[in-house]
Amino acid sequence: MTRKVCVVGGATTPFDYGPTGFETIEGGAAECVKETQRDIPDFSLRDLDLMIYSHFSVHFGHQLAPEWIIHDHLGLVGLPHYRVENGGNTGGSALYAAALAVMSGHHDVVGIIGWETMDSVSQSQGSEFIAMASDTRYELMVGGIYPIYYAAMANKWMKDNKVTEEDVATIAVKNKNNAMDNPKAQWYRNEHRYITVDDVLNSKLISYPIKKYDCCLMSRGVAFVLVCCEEYAKKVNPDGYVTIDGMGLSSCTIRAGDRLNNPTWAERYGPGYPEMTEFGACRCSAEQAYKMAGIENPLKEIDFGEIHDAFSTSEAQIYKALGLANTDNIAQFIRDEQTHLHGSIPMNPGGGLIGYGHPVGATGLMSTIECFYQLSGLIPKKHLSRKTEVPDAMCGIVNSHAGTGTSISNFILRRH
Amino acid sequence: MMEQVVLMKNKNNKKKFAYEPKFTERKDYRPEGVKETGLVFVGHEISEDRTVMNQFLHYDQLYTIRHGWNSKFFIGLLEGKIMGTRCPKCGDTWVPVRTHCWNLNCKLERTEWVEMPLTAKVHTWTVAGWSGRSSLKRLPIVLVYAIIGDSKVAIANELHGINPWDVEFGMPLKVVFKPKEQRVGAVTDFHFEPADGWKPSPMTEEKERIKKLVEPVYEWVKTLK
Ligand SMILES: [Zn+2]
């Protein structure tokens, strides 16, 4: 790596399906920047030398190039800007782009703003909009929305790995309950109750083995992350900045059914991988990130993670793809609650997509922000209690995920 | 083999990169009375304290999906055939089709068309109790990823003619087409059904579980208008 890349601040609006109090995208963006300025008063918008915008779908926003509205509103006329779109991995990909810009030495201070306003349509229409990111020619019309594709993948994965409905339900319970003290989280702002495995098992069928409470939330929300070189980080937030020590980005087929015998994967990981149940792009991008950060044993060397739990089942699949467990011990790994707050690698202490919400373009940035808060000691200030603070956290992983695992990024963040 | 990539001149003497196809068959499947409205503000609402206004923007656009080299697959559906492609170099075969080989050693070799058998087997499956707006009334849907013939990949489609709790990994299927006059040249022209002679295995705990989850779906769908 040519230059160290740092994260020095960030904030989200509340996430919700319906009013957040920050209804316009430019208003929400401005409030996220203002909260960041309250955390690091030495940060001025004048310091920015690049803005990257993270937004998934104009279907939800009914406005082409909506980033121009926000950029203009923030008073950033003259500053270079562009938008990144990469499905559910839009936020992760925007972070990747910002890190590259700083690493290259060409930019010093890069802002990223991400958003989605998914409550502009009904939930069933929204599901169909998102499904337009699946292959419209072959998959969209056959009942295909993402929970169904994921359920088909998870059904086989769970059998192959002896993971049960109850096992994955514990993940949904963990994430919703983690969101209970996070006032910006959608679960906090709506149902706001502690739930049990039975609540998940008895919730409405979405697509077997996935039930309603196994699913992430469709949301409105905006997020801002400030990425910069170390010199600037030392100037504006000398005690709280975090470094991005490793990053990886990888792709897989658009249609999950095309993964069975793919020659590129067979060459890299042997025949039969990733089948259509494993997230090859997650494994591959994690390996890149671990290598760059010098991590040999992720389970030992990473303290916690904010990962893309679109579904409780996919969070379980991600544990395996990140190399935290294998076919022999993944079920036990989940049953031992290794990823709960009292476990060896807490995952989604901020609530994740299941608890915090999933406004697609903002999601990967929300995960980055929660990871940053943990590493910079800001959790007591940002959450209502210390219950979801990971004690002495030095190293976290951020994971962002698109399609049926079609594009996945991973980042290793460390307290400096 | 390069089809249709020739430099043409149109009547204004401008260079074009392909012949304009001469479309001699055309069919409109839209329900009667449905037309494109384009972008229209169709309503609004204002909160009692007049601090929040919502506007309702409707958009209904007609898209044209040009299939080009994939066309034979979709034309095949109209004719009740599943057309796959095969790489003449390495022999890999696909449904859904690839018009160039995925094997990097084959250097994007153009594939050749093969008619596939109408038999398949379940690779994985799920039972959907919720879906997108246009699919809600078809719930519960059994969706399978199935391998047709010797395809290297699995294709997603619905499995009919079975209780949702009776699906099994690896079960044999047949491809069933809609009646010819109902076909539109889309993947929904066919679905899967259990192969002739296939019998479900006895009830198990998992089957009972799925049955319990699915029963409310039947009731809920009845209430949909
Ligand atoms: Zn080939």
Side-chain angles (χ1 to χ4, degrees), chain A residues 95-385:
Chain A
L95 181 64
Y96 196 88
L100 286 179
V102 172
M103 216 183 281
S104 73
H106 196 67
H107 292 283
D108 293 327
V109 186
V110 183
I112 314 170
I113 283 173
W115 72 97
E116 217 70 52
T117 52
M118 302 170 82
D119 59 346
S120 62
V121 293
S122 72
Q123 299 238 1
S124 56
Q125 180 66 71
S127 296
E128 248 170 35
F129 276 172
I130 299 167
M132 290 182 82
S134 68
D135 192 326
T136 56
R137 305 163 305 171
Y138 299 103
E139 294 195 322
L140 175 68
M141 301 308 290
V142 289
I145 58 169
Y146 274 94
I148 302 179
Y149 305 140
Y150 269 91
M153 295 167 72
N155 194 13
K156 188 165 192 303
W157 184 85
M158 286 164 68
K159 288 196 174 93
D160 290 351
N161 291 279
K162 300 188 170 55
V163 169
T164 67
E165 268 186 88
E166 287 84 351
D167 292 336
V168 295
T170 64
I171 295 172
V173 169
K174 165 178 71 70
N175 294 357
K176 286 202 186 299
N177 291 350
N178 282 352
M180 285 295 285
D181 279 5
N182 185 349
K184 286 188 178 164
Q186 194 163 331
W187 182 254
Y188 175 93
R189 293 163 59 82
N190 287 282
E191 288 192 53
H192 196 252
R193 64 188 177 97
Y194 287 98
I195 62 163
T196 64
V197 166
D198 278 345
D199 290 327
V200 179
L201 292 177
N202 295 330
S203 63
K204 170 174 117 148
L205 177 70
I206 298 298
S207 199
Y208 183 76
I210 293 172
K211 276 82 57 192
K212 186 182 169 193
Y213 285 163
D214 289 303
C215 297
C216 62
L217 302 160
M218 204 176 273
S219 316
R220 161 182 293 263
V222 188
F224 171 66
V225 174
L226 188 57
V227 176
C228 62
C229 63
E230 202 172 20
E231 195 186 344
Y232 183 79
K234 282 179 172 160
K235 191 175 122 200
V236 298
N237 192 5
D239 301 322
Y241 74 88
V242 156
T243 51
I244 300 180
D245 285 3
M247 60 189 217
L249 177 62
S250 180
S251 65
C252 197
T253 61
I254 176 170
R255 299 180 303 251
D258 283 28
R259 287 169 203 169
L260 305 185
N261 298 285
N262 187 280
T264 304
W265 286 123
E267 194 174 302
R268 186 165 308 187
Y269 294 128
Y273 187 91
E275 217 272 344
M276 61 169 287
T277 60
E278 306 290 346
F279 295 136
C282 186
R283 176 177 172 179
C284 184
S285 61
E287 285 174 0
Q288 294 163 22
Y290 295 160
K291 190 176 172 198
M292 192 169 157
I295 286 175
E296 281 168 9
N297 183 340
L299 191 52
K300 284 222 169 74
E301 295 169 55
I302 300 172
D303 299 318
F304 73 101
E306 286 289 342
I307 67 174
H308 195 99
D309 53 325
F311 305 98
S312 61
T313 50
S314 51
E315 180 164 327
Q317 289 167 283
I318 286 169
Y319 297 159
K320 196 177 166 196
L322 292 178
L324 307 179
N326 55 42
T327 305
D328 296 329
N329 60 13
I330 178 70
Q332 198 57 44
F333 178 81
I334 299 167
R335 274 166 224 163
D336 290 344
E337 303 193 338
Q338 296 284 5
T339 61
H340 287 236
L341 277 156
H342 54 263
S344 58
I345 183 162
M347 288 294 193
N348 291 320
L353 287 57
I354 287 176
Y356 204 130
H358 185 22
V360 182
T363 301
L365 304 180
M366 171 276 281
S367 303
T368 308
I369 291 162
E370 282 294 319
C371 186
F372 165 74
Y373 287 168
Q374 291 284 358
L375 293 169
S376 61
L378 282 172
I379 290 296
K381 182 176 167 188
K382 301 291 186 178
H383 294 186
L384 298 179
S385 76

Side-chain angles (χ1 to χ4, degrees), chain B residues 87-92 94 101-103 105-106 109:
Chain B
C87 172
K89 279 193 174 166
C90 69
D92 280 4
W94 306 270
C101 184
W102 66 0
N103 196 325
N105 292 336
C106 293
E109 179 76 10

